[in-house]
Amino acid sequence: SGSAKKLGFSTQPGNGSAGALLSPQPIVSIQDMGGNTKTSSSNPVTISITSGTGKSGATLQGTTTITPVNGIATFTNLRIDNASSGYTFTATASGLQSSTSSQFTVSGATATSMIFSSFPPHGIMNQLFSPQPIVLLTDSFGNLASNTGTVSIAIVSGTGGATATLLGTKTVNIVDGTATFTDLIIDTSSRDYQLIASSSGLSAITSLPFTVWIETVGPAMNVWGIGIIGTFILVTLFYLLSLIHISEP
């Protein structure tokens, strides 16, 4: 057989979840041009995420440089923090042709928190919110989590109208780390509503305050707006009447 010329993946990297060990771990051999392992070679082999694959900014964690034993570099603790499909590894060693692995996927880990990615800035009484609330479940690395299950939503006690009811589908399934509500309505106009979202095993989250208007024409003509406009009109009329009175002989 010939001399050592190149690297080759004898075991391809497997899939994993963010921050957890890939399974299987990659094994790289030093080979001649015919693909035979050169057992006498011990050039240190380094693995890195192939540029332009996976998620930009992802970090490869673990021992990334291994000295081969009998021409074989066995990696044991490699993991990636950012979820994405389409990752590949590139193996390099001084004086040898590099090698690129097959593609693998890193999925989100178990959720550690929730956030509202969307919630109504205001609403119209008895009409669908626009936009509807969307809740994201994220892992400790900020990836969309792998959780299944449900997220439930409700009006925060003591906010908005005392007799208000949240109507619609208030519990939805988590799909790809996302809980999307589609048909929520509040039946009572009031200021300072807040919504609370909850899911088993996670801390509940609350939205920012918002107002539900009584009129469909929007904030300018809600019940409070009508009062302000009405007051302005009355003040203006009294002012005009006073001018007429003053101008009389």
Side-chain angles (χ1 to χ4, degrees), residues 15 64 67 77 117 144 149 205 227:
N15 299 329
T64 57
T67 298
N77 62 354
S117 69
L144 288 176
I205 57 170

Side-chain angles (χ1 to χ4, degrees), residues 31-221:
Q31 304 172 350
D32 62 21
M33 291 309 293
N36 304 298
T37 300
K38 302 302 295 179
T39 58
S40 61
S41 297
S42 59
N43 301 41
V45 176
T46 298
I47 272 186
S48 60
I49 298 171
T50 306
S51 177
T53 71
K55 185 174 181 179
S56 176
T59 301
L60 176 61
Q61 301 169 331
T63 305
T64 57
T65 299
I66 296 290
T67 298
V69 176
N70 297 324
I72 296 175
T74 302
F75 295 84
T76 60
N77 62 354
L78 297 182
R79 55 199 186 278
I80 293 175
D81 59 354
N82 287 92
S84 181
S85 59
Y87 280 105
T88 65
F89 283 148
T90 297
T92 58
S94 178
L96 299 174
Q97 180 180 322
S98 64
S99 179
T100 300
S101 74
S102 58
Q103 291 188 352
F104 61 94
T105 296
V106 175
S107 58
T110 301
T112 57
S113 61
M114 297 187 294
I115 59 172
F116 277 103
S117 69
S118 172
F119 63 89
H122 57 78
I124 305 299
M125 185 178 71
N126 290 321
Q127 293 192 23
L128 293 174
F129 290 140
S130 181
Q132 290 278 316
I134 297 175
V135 176
L136 304 182
L137 286 79
T138 58
D139 64 21
S140 59
F141 303 99
N143 305 298
L144 288 176
S146 58
N147 294 52
T148 56
T150 60
V151 173
S152 297
I153 203 164
I155 299 171
V156 175
S157 178
T159 71
T163 62
T165 300
L166 179 64
L167 305 172
T169 306
K170 297 182 284 293
T171 297
V172 298
N173 292 325
I174 300 164
V175 179
D176 296 330
T178 304
T180 303
F181 297 86
T182 59
D183 62 351
L184 297 181
I185 294 169
I186 289 179
D187 65 355
T188 304
S189 63
S190 183
R191 296 179 184 272
D192 297 328
Y193 280 103
Q194 286 182 277
L195 299 176
I196 183 168
S198 58
S199 186
S200 178
L202 296 172
S203 297
I205 57 170
T206 56
S207 72
L208 293 175
F210 62 94
T211 296
V212 173
W213 312 112
I214 195 170
E215 297 288 341
T216 59
V217 292
M221 289 299 291

